[in-house]
Amino acid sequence: MDTYRLERDIKVESGYDLVVAGAGPAGCAAAIAAGRLGAKVLLIEAMGCLGGLATAGIVSEFDPMANGEIMVVGGIMREIVEAMYERGFMPDCCEPQRWRKDHHRYTSFNAEGLKLLLDELVLGANVEIRFFTRVIDADLAGEGKVKGIIIQNVEGYRDIETKTFVDATRGAAPPGPRLPRLHAACRTPPACRPTPAVRVRGATAGRHPNQAFARQAMPGAIFSSSMAEKPTST
Ligand SMILES: Cc1cc2nc3c(=O)[nH]c(=O)nc-3n(C[C@H](O)[C@H](O)[C@H](O)COP(=O)(O)OP(=O)(O)OC[C@H]3O[C@@H](n4cnc5c(N)ncnc54)[C@H](O)[C@@H]3O)c2cc1C
């Protein structure tokens, strides 16, 4: 295959203590935590909402969070699940015992509600967000050291200098010799694909049995028989 060498001068932005790439659950938590500690944080997301697979992917169940006696998950996750319950972003069958005590029980939630809550928490931590923006490369000051990251969006390319960088894109590519996680994040097409949650017009295999809210959000969707019959717990 022929190659074309792409070279250009791009603008450099600076002043961030932390740049987080990927605004899924992991990236949002990292950004919120750092923002609350007073860091100047930029959160970069390829898609147009916060939450990653949990919202855009409609993976709308929280995994089990307790061991039969106590809740073993805390911090921002606990704050989120409690707030989702308080605001009515869960089906009626989801009582707090489900995540605070029960062993191996999943908790369904409204993905649109999680988008709203994450917007609030991230902005409340004074985090700057750039949607529809992809990390595409790294500005390497030296071998394996990130001086800045290269992003691309409708405004073009930018080099964002940062003291600290978190890759929360869940690239999942095999480690490379120089900058394994970031290079994983830069794959095209995107490493993250929305998870098929329902069978839409018979085209896509169902994935999750507990999609009470997916039903409301997609009234035209055809659910597989197992999804149609199962209760909202596993
Ligand atoms: C099929 C499936 C089913 C699952 N079921 C459940 C479940 O029922 N309950 C549960 O709790 N968990 C479930 N999980 C796991 C859960 O989805 C993940 O643990 C969680 O999404 C991980 O969060 P994350 O923030 O690390 O990644 P993600 O949610 O994947 O977020 C990564 C974010 O990075 C962004 N991104 C990617 N590349 C770039 C780039 N180059 N530049 C900028 N942004 C980028 C993406 O758009 C995305 O928003 C499931 C996962 C899968 C795949």
Side-chain angles (χ1 to χ4, degrees), residues 22 24-26 45-47 52-53 59 61 63 134-135 169-170 185 195 208:
E45 170 53 44
M47 293 190 282
L53 274 172
V59 179
E61 283 181 309
D63 271 7
R134 291 190 62 80
V135 175
T169 59
R170 215 156 66 98
T195 308
H208 277 278

Side-chain angles (χ1 to χ4, degrees), residues 28-65:
C28 286
I32 292 166
R36 286 177 178 176
L37 290 170
K40 187 166 167 47
V41 183
L42 174 63
L43 179 58
I44 294 169
E45 170 53 44
M47 293 190 282
C49 65
L50 303 178
L53 274 172
T55 56
I58 324 178
V59 179
S60 51
E61 283 181 309
F62 295 127
D63 271 7
M65 286 173 269

Side-chain angles (χ1 to χ4, degrees), residues 78-98:
R78 183 169 192 150
E79 186 180 331
I80 287 173
V81 69
E82 297 289 348
M84 292 289 285
Y85 175 68
E86 291 297 324
R87 295 185 190 195
F89 292 148
M90 289 179 184
D92 292 342
C93 58
C94 285
E95 290 298 324
Q97 175 167 325
R98 201 179 192 89

Side-chain angles (χ1 to χ4, degrees), residues 2-134:
D2 290 340
T3 58
Y4 171 77
R5 188 174 178 81
L6 178 66
E7 278 187 84
R8 58 185 64 188
D9 292 325
I10 62 175
K11 289 181 181 167
V12 177
E13 292 183 34
S14 58
Y16 295 103
D17 298 310
L18 173 69
V19 175
V20 180
C28 286
I32 292 166
R36 286 177 178 176
L37 290 170
K40 187 166 167 47
V41 183
L42 174 63
L43 179 58
I44 294 169
E45 170 53 44
M47 293 190 282
C49 65
L50 303 178
L53 274 172
T55 56
I58 324 178
V59 179
S60 51
E61 283 181 309
F62 295 127
D63 271 7
M65 286 173 269
N67 63 4
E69 295 176 6
I70 57 165
M71 190 169 179
V72 294
V73 172
I76 291 171
M77 181 61 223
R78 183 169 192 150
E79 186 180 331
I80 287 173
V81 69
E82 297 289 348
M84 292 289 285
Y85 175 68
E86 291 297 324
R87 295 185 190 195
F89 292 148
M90 289 179 184
D92 292 342
C93 58
C94 285
E95 290 298 324
Q97 175 167 325
R98 201 179 192 89
W99 60 88
R100 290 182 194 162
K101 185 172 181 209
D102 291 349
H103 182 233
H104 205 68
R105 293 197 84 194
Y106 290 75
T107 304
S108 301
F109 62 86
N110 181 332
E112 296 302 317
L114 184 58
K115 286 182 191 174
L116 291 172
L117 179 62
L118 288 176
D119 280 353
E120 205 175 288
L121 294 176
V122 168
L123 293 176
N126 293 317
V127 172
E128 180 186 333
I129 309 168
R130 295 193 203 179
F131 285 128
F132 299 114
T133 301
R134 291 190 62 80

